[in-house]
Structure formats: structure tokens, C-alpha cells
Amino acid sequence: MPKTHSSAIVEDGATLGADVEIGPYSVVGARVRIGDGVRLASHVIVLGDTQIGARCLVHPHAVLGGGPQFRGDSGQQAKLVIGPGTVIREHVTMNGGSVKGGGLTEVGANGYFMAYSHVAHDCHVGENVTFANGVALGGHVTIGDGVNIGGLSAVQQYCRIGRGAFVGGVTGVPDDVIPYGMVWGDHARLSGLNLIGLKRRGIPRERIHALRAAFRFIFHGEGTLADRAREAGTRWSTPEVSEVVAFILADAKRPICMPPRTGRGYVDEDD
């Protein structure tokens, strides 16, 4: 049976799973669906067509499922889906999707969203991500599985951040970040590969070496970026290299984030 504090408001029509706990002064809207074992602490607001997966923990003053934050969209069709096992800390906001963007914002399972982080309308966020304090996603952003984003970083609308990438703190991200890439700076520049993340994922050493060689070829070689990526895909036939190549060659709205230039071309990842 759900446990609902006497000061909380659960509107008629809301669906609560087994063992749900709703704390003081929280509000749950009529179209909300909450999975088994979810705990909403005090002063949590869940609005609109929002689905929260099993075992999520939502801390005080989070607001989930509000309409898109732009003019001309009423938010009536906004939908938000949050995967199971996700931890949402204090004052986190996640908006539902927009009519223009397809109406759906998705957050994968087992994410950890620290205080004041924000997921805007029509974002698609993968599983096992970590957002540090104050991370902000613009609308229509795509985040791959296992991405880590440092505190106070901001990702521009329509950007893609590939699986296993790492974004340093206080970084503005205006361009797409390749899978397993590592970026830093007030305007993000690609500084190499997230080698620690690759090792933690259990990627074999020989495949990490292949990815490093492909990285150097793609970002420090001759010719166009697309041509170098295609050539890398034929030289190193590993899953990680294939994923990076497909990411670079995909049809996208943003350019690929590149390494900073030096007098001899692009800086090498080991510099």
C-alpha cells in the first residue's frame, strides 16, 4: 500500500505502485504514474503526463513533468518518462516534451542527478548517467549511456554527447561530443579519450589501444574529418571505433567538437 502524508496532494486519476511513499506537501498530478517502491520526499511536484520508474528516489523541491520552457507551447501534450532506480536530488527540474519536438522527454534507468540540474524538453538521456550540481541541458539534447557531466556545465540545444563521454566542470558544450571523448573549457574542446571510463567499463586493453590509434588518425590526420573517420572504420574494426565513426558520420544539427589547435595542428591526447 502507498504511504501518503496527510499534507500531500494526490489528484484523482494518479496511479501509485506498491510501497510508494509520498512525503509532506508533495503534489502528484492526475496523469502521473509512479512505479513500485518510489519515494517522493517533501515538497516534490510531479505534473503532466509523467511516468516514474520503480525504486526512484526524489529529493525535496524537485519539479518533474512541467511543460516546455518556451513561448507558444501550452505543455498540454508534454510527456516525461523516468527510468527505474534513478536518484533525483534537491531542486532538480525535468520538463516534458514539446509538440514541435515530438512530445517526449526520456531519462534512462539508474541515473544520478545532483542538486539544481535541469533536463529540458525533448531531451533523451541514457542509462547510468551522472549529472553534477547545476548541470543544464537545452532542449532536444541526446545523452548516451554512462555519460558524466561536471558541475555547472551547460549543453546547447540539439547537441549529442556520445556514450561513455566525460564533460568537465563549468564547461559550455556547443558541439557534439564523440563517444568516449573527454571535453573541457568554457567552450568545450576535445582533450582526448575518457580512458578511466573505458577501463571502468571493462573494455579490453587491445580495444582501448585500437580506439586511441583511431582517435589520433581521425583528429590528427590529413583530409576531411568524414574521410578520416571512414578510413579509421576500415583500419580498426572494433565496436568502440565503429561507434565513434558512426557518430561522426551521422546526420546531425551540430558540428563535432574538435581538439584545440596548436602551431603543429591539433594537440595530441597525450600532450
Side-chain angles (χ1 to χ4, degrees):
M1 288 289 293
K3 296 180 181 179
T4 303
H5 192 273
S6 60
S7 64
I9 297 174
V10 179
E11 296 182 356
D12 292 341
T15 301
L16 307 182
D19 301 318
V20 168
E21 296 184 23
I22 301 176
Y25 303 103
S26 290
V27 176
V28 177
R31 294 185 292 159
V32 172
R33 288 153 291 162
I34 298 179
D36 295 347
V38 170
R39 181 186 169 198
L40 307 184
S42 67
H43 300 86
V44 173
I45 309 297
V46 188
L47 306 169
D49 185 0
T50 296
Q51 178 179 328
I52 301 178
R55 304 178 309 283
C56 289
L57 174 59
V58 186
H59 286 253
H61 302 286
V63 180
L64 309 176
Q69 295 186 92
F70 65 83
R71 300 174 189 269
D73 192 308
S74 67
Q76 294 301 310
Q77 299 183 44
K79 184 174 182 178
L80 171 65
V81 176
I82 301 171
T86 297
V87 176
I88 298 172
R89 295 300 303 256
E90 298 83 358
H91 296 274
V92 168
T93 52
M94 296 181 178
N95 296 154
S98 69
V99 172
K100 177 182 177 182
L104 174 64
T105 302
E106 291 182 292
V107 174
N110 301 313
Y112 198 100
F113 296 84
M114 298 185 197
Y116 291 94
S117 55
H118 172 68
V119 178
H121 57 87
D122 307 300
C123 287
H124 297 274
V125 179
E127 299 182 351
N128 298 301
V129 302
T130 301
F131 285 22
N133 297 321
V135 169
L137 303 185
H140 314 279
V141 167
T142 300
I143 305 290
D145 294 344
V147 167
N148 282 264
I149 306 181
L152 301 176
S153 293
V155 183
Q156 193 166 336
Q157 293 89 341
Y158 294 100
C159 275
R160 299 175 299 148
I161 298 181
R163 175 164 53 171
F166 179 88
V167 178
V170 199
T171 295
V173 184
D175 301 326
D176 290 347
V177 178
I178 61 168
Y180 315 109
M182 185 164 58
V183 300
W184 304 87
D186 54 355
H187 283 69
R189 305 305 290 172
L190 185 63
S191 63
L193 293 170
N194 182 14
L195 297 176
I196 293 175
L198 286 163
K199 292 173 183 177
R200 286 177 176 172
R201 293 173 67 88
I203 304 300
R205 177 182 292 270
E206 61 273 16
R207 281 163 49 186
I208 294 177
H209 287 328
L211 182 58
R212 294 182 73 181
F215 178 93
R216 291 190 181 96
F217 182 83
I218 291 170
F219 291 103
H220 309 299
E222 301 295 330
T224 68
L225 178 66
D227 287 343
R228 297 195 302 266
R230 292 188 187 96
E231 178 66 19
T234 64
R235 292 193 183 192
W236 296 278
S237 56
T238 67
E240 293 75 30
V241 173
S242 297
E243 186 175 357
V244 170
V245 170
F247 186 93
I248 291 171
L249 298 179
D251 185 20
K253 293 181 179 292
R254 298 289 182 193
I256 297 295
C257 183
M258 300 291 287
R261 289 188 178 274
T262 68
R264 60 181 174 83
Y266 289 112
V267 66
D268 187 71
E269 65 168 333
D270 290 330
D271 286 359

